[in-house]
Amino acid sequence: MATSTFSCEDGMEEDGVSEGEGKNLGPCSGPNRQRDLCTFCTISLDQEEVFRTKVFDKSLSPFYGEDFYFEIPRPFQCLSFYVFAKGVFQRDLPVGKVSIRKEELCKFSGKEHWFGLQPVDPNSEVQGKVHLEMRLNELIIENGSMCQQLLVRIIECQGLPLISGQNCDPYATVSLVGPARSDQKKTKVKKKTSDPQFEETFNFEVNLIYIWALIVDLWNNGNLAQDVFLGETRVSVKILRNDHIHRAWYLLQPKGNGKSKTDDLGSLRLNVTYTEDNVLPSACYTPLRTLLLKSPDIKPISASAAHILGDICRERYEAVLPVVRLLLHHSRLVPFVSAITVLELENTQEANTIFRGNSLATRCIDDMMKIVGRSYLTVTLKPVLDEICDSNKTCEIDPIKLKEGDNVEVNKENLQGYVQKVFSSITQSSSSCPPLMCDVFRSLRHMASKRFPDDPHVQYSAVSSFVFLRFFAVAVLSPHTFQLRPHHPDLEVSRTLTLISKTIQTLGSWGSLSKNKLVCMYECLLSASNMLINLPLCISVSQHIQKRAQGRKRIGKRNFKKRWLRVTNRELSYHKHRGETSLCIIPVKNIRAVEKLYESAFNRKNMFQVLHSEKPLYVQAGNCVEASEWVEVLSQVSRCNPDRLGTFHPSAYVAGAWLCCRSLSDSQPGCKPCTPTLLANLQLDIDCDRETERIFSLLTSSYSKLQKMEDACASIAVYQGPPREQDDYSLFTIQDPKETFHTVQQITHILEELQREHDTRSGTAQYGSQ
C-alpha cells in the first residue's frame, strides 16, 4: 500500500503520494526553453498510468498540491512520476520523470524530497521480468581438446508493457559480453501477449576467461516499423559452475541501466508514504478481529478497541478506513457510528457547529459514504457532470476573472442552469440512496434532535453536514477522485465545478441561510434532506394478491380474497380494486417482521405473513419470485423499526394451537429466528484479513501512544484525578479508566502474539535467487 503527496515549484495514496510542486521545469537553456509552459503530472506503476493531476497554467515552477492515496493492486518495479507539457494542437510532450524503484521506496517514505527530473527515454521505459535457465557443460571437441558449452534457456516472461494500448509482439535476443562480443541469437516472435512462453534453448561455445556476462534483451516486433526495446537483464557468468543448473527470475532493466548525462530538466518535490503488509493466515487474526467487532457493544464507547485506534492514530489519514471496512463487512458499522456520534454530540455546545470538525465520527461517516455511495454518485451526478464537462459553457461571474468579450449575464444564466440541474439531480435521487447511508442519516437525525430539542432544524442540518457538504459538494469539485470523470477537467471547466460546488455547500450550510435569503432553495433543501432520511427505499409496489382476512379462526376458501396490495415507504395498504379507496392501511413503522409461511399452514404455495402491532396479515403471491420480492421489499422498508421481532411462527394459529410448535397460547413467542435483513444494493469486496493486518500495523506503529494511554488509565484509576503529564494524555478520550485500561491490555497482548507470528513466518524471496 502506498501513500504519496507531491508538489512542484515542480512537484506531485497502500501508496500515498502527495504531489507538491515543481521547480525550473524544462531545459534550462537553449531554443527548447518554454516560458509559458502549461504542465501536469502523472503517477504510474511501471508503465501504467494510475493518476493524473490538474493542468497548471503557464509556470515553470507550478505548485500542484494534490494528494493521492491508493492500494497497489499488483506487483511492480517502479513508482514513476512524469511531468508533461500540455499540447494544444499536438500531443502532450514529456518534460521529464522521477522513477523510484520499489526496493528504494522505504528510504524516502514519510518525508518530503526534491528529485531531479530525468529524461523520458524509450530505452528506460521498462517493466516485467524474464525466467532464465543456464547450464555450463564441458565438452571434448574433435581435436581432443576441452571446451565449455553454455546452454541458455529462455523460458518465459511476465508483465511486459502494453504498446499503444495493445499487448505486444515480444521476442528475446541472447548475447555474451566480453572482449569480443558473440553472435546474437533470437527467439521466435510471440503474438499479442504480455506473458510470452518462449521455451527456447541456445548453445554457446565459450571460454569463461573471455566472457563477462550474459545479456538477454526483450523487444517488441515492429513489423514494418522499428522494433521497440522492452528491457534487458545482465547475468554475470561467475555464478555458473560446471554441470550445475541455474534457474531464476530476473527483473528487466533499462538499456545500460538507464544512465545518461542530460540537461537540467528541473525538479519535483514529493512526499511518498509506502507501506507493505504481509497477511498471515486468517486464524491468526481472530482475536484482534473479534475484539474490534465487539466495539459497538462496549460501554462507554471510548473504551472500545476501534475507538482507541482512532484516538491514538487521529493524525493519520488512513487509520479509520480499515476499521470502517471491517465493521461494514460484518454489519457492525451503524451501531458503532451511532455510539461515537452520541459521544461527539455530548461535547457539541452549539447546534450550528454540529459535525463540522474532523472527529472520529465524521471520518467514519466520510469513509462509509465514499465506499457505499460510489454507485449512488454515478447514478445521481455523472450524467449532469458529463454534460457540464462536454458542453463547456462559460460560467465565470467574478468581474476580476472575466475575459474580454464575456457577458456576465449570460454566464450567470449558464451557472444557474447548471446549479439547478445538479441540485435537482440530488433532490430527486432518494430512490438511489444506499440503504446503509439512509440508516446512518436516520440515526444522526434522531440523535441530533434529542441533543438539541429546541432547534427544529437541527435534524436536517445534521444530515446536510454530510450529504451536501462532505459528499455531493466534494464529488462535484473533484469528479475524477470518485471515478465520475477519467481525468482532471481543464481549467475553465474546473472553475465552473468550483462555483457549483460552493453553491451546493451554501445550500447545505444551514447557518449561512437567513430568512430573507434563498428561501426557495432553503425549502427545497428541507425537502431533500427529509427525503434522504425517510426513504431507505423509495418504492411504490402494487400487485394483485390473495389476502386472508386478519384474525379469522377458521380456515376456509372464502377467507382468502383477491386484493390489490400496495406498499410505499410509509404504508402498506390493500384495496378491493386498483385505484379504489384502501380497505386497510398498515403503517410501515408498525411492521415487526415479514416472513414466509409453511405451505402446510393453509395448504397454499407462495405464502408470506406481515407481522405488525395487530393480527398478522397472511398473503399469497402469484408465484415464488413474487413472494420473495414482496418479502424483500417489505423487510427493507421496515428493517430499522425499533420493535422488530427476533422470532416468529412459520405456520398459523388454528383451533387453539400453533401448527408449527403445537404451543397453545396465541401470544407465545415465535419458535424460529427471524431472517436477518441484509442491506440491499451493497456489494463490497473486502478482504477482512488484510484489513485486520493493516490495523495491526497501525497499532504497532503507534505502540508508544498505546503505552501512554495505558499509563494514563492507571494513573487516573489510582489517584482519581487528572494525571500530571497532562500534555501527554490530553488528546486521549478516557471516560472509564478501568474499562479502557482493560481494553488496552487486551490490545497489547494480541499485538505481541501477532508479532510472534510475523517473526516466525518472516522471510522473503529475491529476484535472481534460485
Side-chain angles (χ1 to χ4, degrees), residues 294-312 314 336 339-344 346-347 360 706 709 713 731-744 747:
K294 285 169 54 181
S295 294
D297 305 321
I298 301 298
K299 302 289 191 282
I301 191 64
S302 61
S304 67
H307 191 282
I308 289 173
L309 173 66
D311 225 11
I312 65 175
R314 65 178 64 194
F336 179 70
I340 58 177
T341 299
V342 170
L343 179 59
E344 178 169 340
E346 289 175 355
N347 298 316
L360 179 59
L706 198 63
M709 178 178 275
C713 292
L731 292 178
F732 301 144
T733 304
I734 303 176
Q735 294 174 290
D736 186 332
K738 292 183 179 180
E739 188 67 32
T740 306
F741 182 83
H742 176 63
T743 305
V744 171
I747 294 173

Side-chain angles (χ1 to χ4, degrees), residues 57-98:
D57 200 17
K58 297 181 180 180
S59 173
L60 297 179
S61 297
F63 183 83
Y64 299 108
E66 296 190 43
D67 294 341
F68 302 90
Y69 179 82
F70 56 101
E71 292 186 356
I72 295 172
R74 59 172 176 77
F76 73 104
Q77 297 179 39
C78 286
L79 178 66
S80 302
F81 305 83
Y82 293 82
V83 179
F84 286 90
K86 183 67 177 176
V88 179
F89 301 110
Q90 58 184 351
R91 65 185 181 87
D92 301 330
L93 298 176
V95 175
K97 69 173 183 177
V98 173

Side-chain angles (χ1 to χ4, degrees), residues 138-256:
E138 288 190 347
L139 296 178
I140 300 175
I141 58 178
E142 292 180 356
N143 61 9
S145 62
M146 188 80 69
C147 77
Q148 290 177 309
Q149 182 188 51
L150 175 62
L151 282 75
V152 181
R153 179 175 164 224
I154 313 294
I155 304 173
E156 61 179 320
C157 289
Q158 289 184 1
L160 297 180
L162 300 177
I163 303 296
S164 301
Q166 303 293 323
N167 282 327
C168 55
D169 296 333
Y171 67 89
T173 62
V174 186
S175 57
L176 302 178
V177 178
R181 188 159 182 142
S182 68
D183 292 337
Q184 190 179 78
K185 299 188 178 183
K186 175 182 173 181
T187 68
K188 295 178 181 178
V189 175
K190 300 296 181 180
K191 294 290 186 179
K192 304 300 179 187
T193 176
S194 294
D195 302 311
Q197 301 284 329
F198 291 111
E199 292 292 349
E200 293 191 42
T201 302
F202 303 100
N203 300 324
F204 296 89
E205 291 186 5
V206 297
N207 186 334
L208 294 187
I209 298 175
Y210 301 107
I211 300 298
W212 302 331
L214 169 80
I215 296 182
V216 177
D217 289 327
L218 269 296
W219 299 84
N220 177 66
N221 182 41
N223 293 321
L224 299 178
Q226 186 176 356
D227 292 355
V228 177
F229 176 75
L230 301 178
E232 72 174 19
T233 187
R234 293 179 175 233
V235 183
S236 172
V237 296
K238 293 180 180 180
I239 66 171
L240 301 178
R241 301 190 304 272
N242 286 338
D243 299 321
H244 175 77
I245 297 176
H246 176 83
R247 190 172 184 175
W249 283 96
Y250 291 90
L251 293 174
L252 295 176
Q253 306 291 336
K255 178 74 75 176

Side-chain angles (χ1 to χ4, degrees), residues 278 280-281 284-285 287 693 696 700 703 745-763:
N278 298 308
L280 301 173
C284 299
Y285 298 112
E693 170 62 29
F696 162 73
T700 301
Y703 193 74
Q745 283 194 316
Q746 287 180 290
I747 294 173
T748 302
H749 175 71
I750 291 171
L751 293 183
E752 292 172 352
E753 290 294 324
L754 271 173
Q755 188 59 57
R756 276 194 284 271
E757 287 286 347
H758 274 288
D759 293 341
T760 301
R761 300 168 187 268
S762 64

